[in-house]
Amino acid sequence: MIQIGIFSGYFPYDLETTAKKVQELGLNTVQLDLHFKDIDLSSGQITREKAKRVQDTFRDHDAPICAISGYTNIVHPDLDKRRANVERLKEIIRSARDFGTPYVISESGTFNPESEWDHHEHNRSEDAYEQVRSVLTELAEEAWNHGATFLLETYVNNVIGSVRETARVFNDIQHPGLELLMDPTNYFDQSNIDDQAGVLNEVFDVLGDRVRIAHAKDVKRAGADKSEKHADIGDDDALASHTFRGVGEIELPAAGLGSLDYDLYVKRLAERSPNIPLIIEHLDEADIPRAKEFIRETLKRQGV
């Protein structure tokens, strides 16, 4: 059974309040963001005792931690910043089991010095790929040595941004400490957004056996209206307020507010990973009930 979860970071509260709100919303797992008003989990401040407290609090509220957000630019062009980013990610990896999960997630990064999310022309070079491959190998080894698994999240703006590049990484780094975070919306750009079925099927046909956690957001062309398929899920103000820039003219709004073929996504996800956590993202707290209901209804239609 696919579990519907949420990023804990969408709740800007203390630990207990966050866990209580997740429980009240009927969500049964969280991807942990290391930010709470009453506990310091910043760089150098994670301890086994703090991690156990966080793990127990979410478990006590029926929402165990399924993965930890470690998002950072692992190939920052400033080598000092890169080193600090990678060391922070390793710190999280070493503590993952104390939080109650083996999985730590990050994207592959970009050579853009101004943004962790924007493209840079060097990203498509062989040199960029080799630098990412080296860091990912290092992270996979660190994870495996501490009973954890590093999950790579493909993102079209980053160095590893396509199905082909992701498959190449797994072929080149044949290590049990490296697996995949599935988010099909991250593979879309202007060239393929009109081929929903083609992209979704390619993603699962090529990478489906590496998936350990999945994300739930949406994709659409910038300025596009809601499709007729999703016309009953919210007003235009809600649609505008939950839009995040993807690449070029592509935007990544909350689940149900774009054009992604969610029935096909859920169908393929359930075929390959029937018990996977599906984590809602790209929204604010007020929109979580709507997004949860959209996902729940989609799962129901697919008999999942």
Side-chain angles (χ1 to χ4, degrees):
M1 180 178 179
I2 290 178
Q3 305 293 310
I4 304 176
I6 189 72
F7 280 71
S8 65
Y10 292 121
F11 304 91
Y13 309 110
D14 60 83
L15 175 61
E16 181 72 23
T17 300
T18 298
K20 183 178 180 181
K21 286 183 175 289
V22 171
Q23 183 180 45
E24 290 173 345
L25 284 163
L27 298 162
N28 46 27
T29 188
V30 295
Q31 179 171 323
L32 182 67
D33 297 299
L34 299 173
H35 306 286
F36 300 99
K37 287 189 172 181
D38 62 335
I39 182 169
D40 184 3
L41 298 169
S42 60
S43 183
Q45 298 304 312
I46 299 175
T47 66
R48 182 167 294 178
E49 292 73 23
K50 288 179 182 178
K52 185 66 163 57
R53 176 186 163 195
V54 173
Q55 176 188 171
D56 290 346
T57 300
F58 281 106
R59 283 190 178 277
D60 290 346
H61 289 82
D62 303 315
I65 296 164
C66 66
I68 305 172
S69 300
Y71 298 105
T72 191
N73 191 353
I74 65 172
V75 289
H76 197 291
D78 181 317
L79 295 184
D80 289 336
K81 290 182 179 179
R82 181 190 300 189
R83 188 173 303 107
N85 290 347
V86 172
E87 287 306 312
R88 168 60 172 172
L89 190 47
K90 286 183 177 181
E91 177 188 12
I92 297 170
I93 287 170
R94 290 192 293 269
S95 300
R97 284 293 187 176
D98 294 329
F99 285 104
T101 178
Y103 300 127
V104 178
I105 305 167
S106 182
E107 294 164 344
S108 61
T110 175
F111 282 82
N112 189 314
E114 306 298 330
S115 170
E116 294 188 5
W117 317 113
D118 290 340
H119 180 65
H120 189 273
E121 59 183 13
H122 191 63
N123 289 359
R124 298 279 76 84
S125 69
E126 186 66 16
D127 175 67
Y129 175 80
E130 287 300 327
Q131 291 190 53
V132 163
R133 184 191 58 76
S134 177
V135 177
L136 290 176
T137 301
E138 190 177 335
L139 292 171
E141 291 173 350
E142 185 80 10
W144 190 248
N145 289 338
H146 291 85
T149 305
F150 178 72
L151 301 187
L152 172 64
E153 180 172 353
T154 306
Y155 179 46
V156 66
N157 278 347
N158 286 177
V159 176
I160 307 302
S162 69
V163 174
R164 181 187 64 81
E165 289 161 349
T166 308
R168 182 185 179 189
V169 162
F170 285 117
N171 183 67
D172 290 350
I173 307 174
Q174 298 190 22
H175 195 290
L178 179 68
E179 297 293 353
L180 184 69
L181 181 288
M182 172 57 72
D183 188 337
T185 67
N186 287 353
Y187 295 81
F188 286 101
D189 59 20
Q190 297 96 316
S191 71
N192 62 12
I193 191 171
D194 294 323
D195 185 18
Q196 297 270 322
V199 172
L200 285 166
N201 285 322
E202 181 188 22
V203 166
F204 282 101
D205 289 346
V206 176
L207 303 171
D209 62 340
R210 309 308 298 257
V211 178
R212 298 297 178 266
I213 305 288
H215 281 175
K217 62 176 184 285
D218 219 317
V219 64
K220 70 184 186 76
R221 291 187 181 278
D225 293 332
K226 288 173 296 200
S227 67
E228 292 182 5
K229 178 175 62 176
H230 301 333
D232 60 343
I233 49 108
D235 59 29
D236 291 336
D237 289 340
L239 180 63
S241 68
H242 299 99
T243 292
F244 291 72
R245 179 66 60 178
V247 55
E249 293 302 312
I250 304 302
E251 292 179 348
L252 302 172
L257 298 181
S259 62
L260 186 69
D261 187 342
Y262 252 92
D263 287 285
L264 179 58
Y265 176 31
V266 165
K267 177 183 177 181
R268 294 305 312 269
L269 189 64
E271 287 172 354
R272 302 301 294 267
S273 307
N275 299 309
I276 201 166
L278 183 56
I279 308 300
I280 299 168
E281 64 168 339
H282 278 212
L283 76 181
D284 56 34
E285 184 180 349
D287 192 46
I288 293 171
R290 180 208 57 79
K292 177 205 166 188
E293 183 63 16
F294 171 77
I295 298 297
R296 192 186 69 81
E297 288 298 322
T298 305
L299 293 172
K300 184 178 178 181
R301 280 197 305 273
Q302 294 301 315
V304 179

